Amino acid sequence: MGTSPSREGLEVTDSDSDYEHEEEETEHYEHAKTHSTELDDLDAKLKALKLKYQTPSSSSSKSLPQNAVKLYLHIGATTPNAKWILSDKRTSYAFLKDSDDENDAVWFLTVGSKVRARVSSEMQLKMFGDQRRVDFVADGVWALKFPSDDTYRRFVTEFQNCVFENVYGIECTEENKVKIFGKEFIGWVKPEAADDSVWEDAFAADPSPSRRRDDLMEEFEEAANGGVQTLTLGALDNSFMVNDAGVHVYRNFNRGIHGKGVAVKFAGGDATPNKALLMRAETNMMLMSPLKDGKPHASKLHQLDIETGKIVTEWKFGKDGVDLTMRDITNDTKGSQLDPSESTFLGLDDNRLCQWDMRDRKGIVQNIATASSSPVLHWSQGHQFSAGSNFQSFATTGDGSIVVGSLDGKIRLYSKTSMRMAKTAFPGLCSPITSVDVTYDGKWVLGTTDTYLVLICTLFTDKDGMTKTGFSGRMGNRIPAPRLLKLTPLDSHLAGANNKFHSGHFSWVSLIRHCCCC
């Protein structure tokens, strides 16, 4: 996305005196000229000045408009001449309720006659309390400077209240906050005010191990010439890239990758897989292609033998003679892809969480070589949830605990012993969860939305003084507020129209985070 100066600071002459009337300087200048006149002329000029200038009382009463702000605009994009300019020295903001294309009445932010934007997380609003300033995106990148701490704090409170009402459709009161988040999660309403002590371990880790994956991503993108659908890094010899043409196998080296010359090309008309899952000591890969017409669900899987580069068979999802679809698949545990005898994996659909088995009900491997039709995966265990769960993505820990992200923004933690009832359910923060990941030890969860990442610490101390994670016990009111990680408004705008985050991940077993976005 390039670099640009003045991303965090307004590099312009900026002082509180800028809010005063410009006429005052003219008044002082005119008054100084009268010292060289006769007394009579001075009296006459003073009388004339009374007609031209307001009295001190009237001037001070109108010195600032209501909700006064200074408005800045960033210009120049990523060019060397990029900078902030003063767009309006004396203007005001307002939050107004109006209709839009999708809703009857929602809150909008207006700033003078230059800015009108629906209040939402898509504005990417970022606060700078020490500067009494906020930046946001609204057909450009804007900044507001406030004349006092009180006006700054009032704006922030009004903005957050409007976001709450636009998202949940009810007024932002303490009672309604408890209704939406629950008493245990009331601290999540303002995650930026969280105690930093819980995050010390998260940010103390050395980020250098993530360098290898970042470099690999760049090499994959260059090799694919764009169009990367999914990237699967193996823990052993190989890594894999899926693009519009097929699956490409690469040899892992300490300082990069090298093509093995193995590739599986997709037949004409077949949908490009959007999910690749390594199995059986990374010698096999399950490829899931979405249905057509833009639907993310899939009714079948293709099993790829990596050693031969051939599709071994096509599997169908089914239960009790009824064909099913899946939205996502993942390994039983974070390390089970290394098991050479692995025959099971997990599946997720809008309202289903289950385990699939490639063996038949008697535990014998199905004879796929002589099967006249696609073999059907066996529903080993799972649960059908009520309509409206709207699951989107999931991931597993090293011991098989499961984290699930939903369309309503909720993140649920299931223990390794039950898929029916979540041990902990974190409330949504305004935006749908499109992807989730969890560390091997289950201590950290990372959720991805279109506009930000939400980082959650699952550790808590129970009533007996034992340290646990939210996968193994109910956290109650001992839940630390999350951290929201997002682009600056300027970076978000410069990323272009399609600037959504795709997925955030931890490295295989450590706390180091990386993100594939934009």
Side-chain angles (χ1 to χ4, degrees):
M1 290 182 291
T3 59
S4 175
S6 63
R7 289 179 181 269
E8 299 295 332
L10 294 174
E11 297 184 353
V12 295
T13 302
D14 188 65
S15 65
D16 293 337
S17 62
D18 289 339
Y19 287 101
E20 299 175 2
H21 280 291
E22 297 177 10
E23 288 93 332
E24 293 180 3
E25 294 182 2
T26 305
E27 182 179 4
H28 292 315
Y29 174 73
E30 294 292 342
H31 182 68
K33 291 203 308 181
T34 62
H35 287 280
S36 62
T37 66
E38 298 292 338
L39 184 59
D40 291 342
D41 293 337
L42 177 60
D43 290 338
K45 289 180 179 291
L46 290 175
K47 291 179 181 180
L49 288 175
K50 291 179 181 179
L51 299 176
K52 183 177 180 181
Y53 299 103
Q54 298 174 330
T55 61
S57 60
S58 63
S59 176
S60 60
S61 65
K62 298 181 180 180
S63 59
L64 290 177
Q66 187 178 11
N67 293 338
V69 289
K70 281 185 279 187
L71 179 65
Y72 293 87
L73 174 65
H74 193 274
I75 63 172
T78 59
T79 67
N81 296 325
K83 62 181 179 179
W84 291 96
I85 63 170
L86 184 61
S87 179
D88 201 330
K89 186 176 183 180
R90 291 171 48 81
T91 189
S92 61
Y93 74 88
F95 290 99
L96 304 174
K97 218 168 190 182
D98 199 356
S99 60
D100 65 4
D101 296 336
E102 300 178 356
N103 303 278
D104 293 334
V106 294
W107 288 103
F108 284 82
L109 169 65
T110 63
V111 184
S113 60
K114 298 183 178 181
V115 175
R116 184 178 187 272
R118 185 180 186 276
V119 178
S120 70
S121 61
E122 293 180 359
M123 293 178 65
Q124 294 282 48
L125 186 128
K126 184 173 183 179
M127 297 167 251
F128 300 88
D130 58 334
Q131 301 180 43
R132 301 197 304 267
R133 161 191 162 205
V134 297
D135 294 2
F136 60 92
V137 177
D139 293 327
V141 184
W142 304 87
L144 299 180
K145 284 276 288 183
F146 300 87
S148 67
D149 291 336
D150 289 340
T151 55
Y152 166 78
R153 287 192 294 267
R154 184 172 69 246
F155 173 90
V156 171
T157 300
E158 288 181 285
F159 181 87
Q160 292 172 335
N161 290 347
C162 290
V163 170
F164 183 93
E165 187 168 342
N166 280 354
V167 171
Y168 301 109
I170 55 178
E171 185 180 356
C172 187
T173 64
E174 292 302 317
E175 181 180 356
N176 286 336
K177 290 177 183 178
V178 173
K179 180 180 178 181
I180 296 296
F181 291 94
K183 292 182 180 180
E184 295 86 354
F185 293 93
I186 196 65
W188 282 44
V189 178
K190 295 182 179 180
E192 67 277 0
D195 181 4
D196 287 346
S197 61
V198 72
W199 303 102
E200 291 178 357
D201 291 341
F203 298 109
D206 179 9
S208 58
S210 66
R211 174 73 180 179
R212 175 178 173 268
R213 181 162 188 136
D214 294 338
D215 290 344
L216 282 176
M217 186 62 185
E218 292 179 3
E219 292 188 48
F220 273 119
E221 290 177 340
E222 182 178 354
N225 193 25
V228 176
Q229 294 293 327
T230 184
L231 174 63
T232 302
L233 294 187
L236 300 177
D237 294 334
N238 303 318
S239 288
F240 308 88
M241 176 192 69
V242 179
N243 67 357
D244 297 338
V247 179
H248 303 265
V249 186
Y250 294 84
R251 175 76 68 178
N252 291 332
F253 290 98
N254 290 335
R255 295 181 176 270
I257 57 173
H258 181 71
K260 292 184 65 175
V262 178
V264 177
K265 304 296 182 180
F266 302 132
D270 287 352
T272 301
N274 64 346
K275 182 70 177 184
L277 184 68
L278 287 171
M279 294 187 66
R280 296 180 175 175
E282 300 186 354
T283 62
N284 279 235
M285 176 181 288
M286 307 301 286
L287 298 171
M288 189 170 74
S289 301
L291 298 176
K292 297 180 180 179
D293 302 325
K295 296 181 179 180
H297 312 78
S299 59
K300 57 187 178 181
L301 294 172
H302 290 95
Q303 183 179 351
L304 168 67
D305 186 320
I306 296 172
E307 295 300 321
T308 63
K310 296 180 179 180
I311 298 295
V312 176
T313 192
E314 178 184 284
W315 296 91
K316 292 176 61 178
F317 297 111
K319 182 178 185 292
D320 299 330
V322 178
D323 292 341
L324 300 179
T325 62
M326 288 284 110
R327 173 185 284 271
D328 198 5
I329 55 174
T330 196
N331 297 103
D332 289 344
T333 71
K334 215 170 192 60
S336 61
Q337 69 191 57
L338 301 178
D339 182 356
S341 62
E342 181 185 24
S343 296
T344 61
F345 58 92
L346 302 182
L348 183 82
D349 204 24
D350 292 355
N351 305 307
R352 299 185 186 99
L353 178 59
C354 63
Q355 183 186 58
W356 294 105
D357 197 333
M358 300 166 66
R359 300 165 296 184
D360 69 10
R361 295 180 182 274
K362 298 180 181 179
I364 302 174
V365 177
Q366 299 186 51
N367 187 0
I368 59 178
T370 60
S372 60
S373 61
S374 297
V376 178
L377 292 162
H378 168 51
W379 174 294
S380 177
Q381 62 173 318
H383 184 66
Q384 174 83 33
F385 294 85
S386 61
S389 297
N390 290 322
F391 295 150
Q392 300 291 299
S393 177
F394 69 151
T396 53
T397 66
D399 68 358
S401 298
I402 306 169
V403 55
V404 180
S406 304
L407 187 64
D408 59 5
K410 290 184 179 179
I411 294 177
R412 296 173 173 87
L413 309 184
Y414 295 86
S415 72
K416 60 182 179 180
T417 59
S418 174
M419 295 183 183
R420 182 177 294 272
M421 182 69 69
K423 286 289 186 180
T424 302
F426 298 108
L429 291 174
C430 305
S431 300
I433 299 296
T434 59
S435 176
V436 290
D437 198 15
V438 60
T439 54
Y440 192 90
D441 56 15
K443 295 179 180 179
W444 303 93
V445 169
L446 188 65
T448 304
T449 73
D450 286 347
T451 55
Y452 61 85
L453 307 178
V454 53
L455 179 62
I456 300 171
C457 177
T458 71
L459 292 174
F460 73 99
T461 303
D462 67 10
K463 61 182 180 180
D464 298 323
M466 299 292 291
T467 300
K468 297 182 177 180
T469 71
F471 292 97
S472 59
R474 299 192 179 279
M475 299 180 73
N477 59 0
R478 299 173 292 274
I479 303 170
R483 275 292 178 87
L484 303 187
L485 312 174
K486 55 185 179 180
L487 298 175
T488 65
L490 180 57
D491 284 334
S492 176
H493 180 68
L494 295 178
N498 187 24
N499 62 356
K500 297 179 180 179
F501 285 105
H502 296 317
S503 62
H505 292 282
F506 296 99
S507 61
W508 204 57
V509 296
S510 73
L511 292 181
I512 307 305
R513 294 169 300 281
H514 78 279
C515 181
C516 305
C517 65
C518 303

